[in-house]
Amino acid sequence: MRFRDLRQVYSHPVALNQCLKFFARYPAIERVPFYDTAGSVKTILQEKRSDAAAIASAVAAEIYGGHILRRSLEDDRRNFTRFFLLRRSADAGRSLTAAGRAREWKTSLVFSTRNIPGALFRAMSAFSLRDIKPD
């Protein structure tokens, strides 16, 4: 695939919104929200799309056999995603499947805050005030 053939870019909505300057520079490229960044790479490659690309990590490109057309598309180089694992105890968050096997539950939270000092603290303090703990 060549960059000039690109018509659509798939990625998670947060990733797309972190690259607004790129899309302003290339207004003919359509932003397509997808459930996750790596999944967008996998889907585009499986569908053998010649007019689409994904915004994702270099690791995703390596895992799924893609090649990188452009690097560093983000508006703010200091912006990155953090992942946290929260759980109560070894058995918390488990239920049984129909076959009687244990199944893990996964909880994800996605939110945004204004870009002002203390915004993240105020958002996360709601958990502390309600004694919601990861253990």
Side-chain angles (χ1 to χ4, degrees):
M1 149 162 251
R2 298 174 305 193
F3 184 81
R4 67 176 175 232
D5 298 328
L6 191 58
R7 299 292 172 254
Q8 294 181 317
V9 170
Y10 289 69
S11 195
H12 188 276
V14 172
L16 293 171
N17 285 332
Q18 291 174 347
C19 303
L20 296 177
K21 291 178 184 174
F22 169 81
F23 289 108
R25 189 175 320 134
Y26 301 100
I29 297 175
E30 176 188 3
R31 290 179 277 176
V32 181
F34 204 75
Y35 72 93
D36 114 318
T37 57
S40 62
V41 174
K42 181 180 179 182
T43 298
I44 288 166
L45 290 171
Q46 284 178 338
E47 293 177 359
K48 297 181 169 74
R49 298 280 309 269
S50 62
D51 64 341
I55 293 175
S57 68
V59 173
E62 182 180 329
I63 288 170
Y64 296 114
H67 70 276
I68 297 171
L69 297 173
R70 298 279 163 95
R71 293 183 185 271
S72 303
L73 303 181
E74 68 275 4
D75 295 345
D76 184 349
R77 303 272 334 233
R78 298 170 295 168
N79 195 5
F80 57 93
T81 304
R82 296 172 183 91
F83 296 92
F84 297 92
L85 173 63
L86 306 172
R87 67 183 255 204
R88 290 180 190 259
S89 66
D91 292 330
R94 291 180 185 248
S95 67
L96 295 180
T97 65
R101 293 188 301 263
R103 177 177 64 188
E104 295 278 341
W105 289 97
K106 176 182 175 181
T107 302
S108 299
L109 301 173
V110 177
F111 63 93
S112 62
T113 64
R114 292 181 21 209
N115 188 16
I116 59 172
L120 182 59
F121 169 78
R122 284 193 293 278
M124 298 302 292
S125 67
F127 294 100
S128 179
L129 293 170
R130 289 162 182 82
D131 205 27
I132 299 171
K133 300 176 192 168
D135 54 353

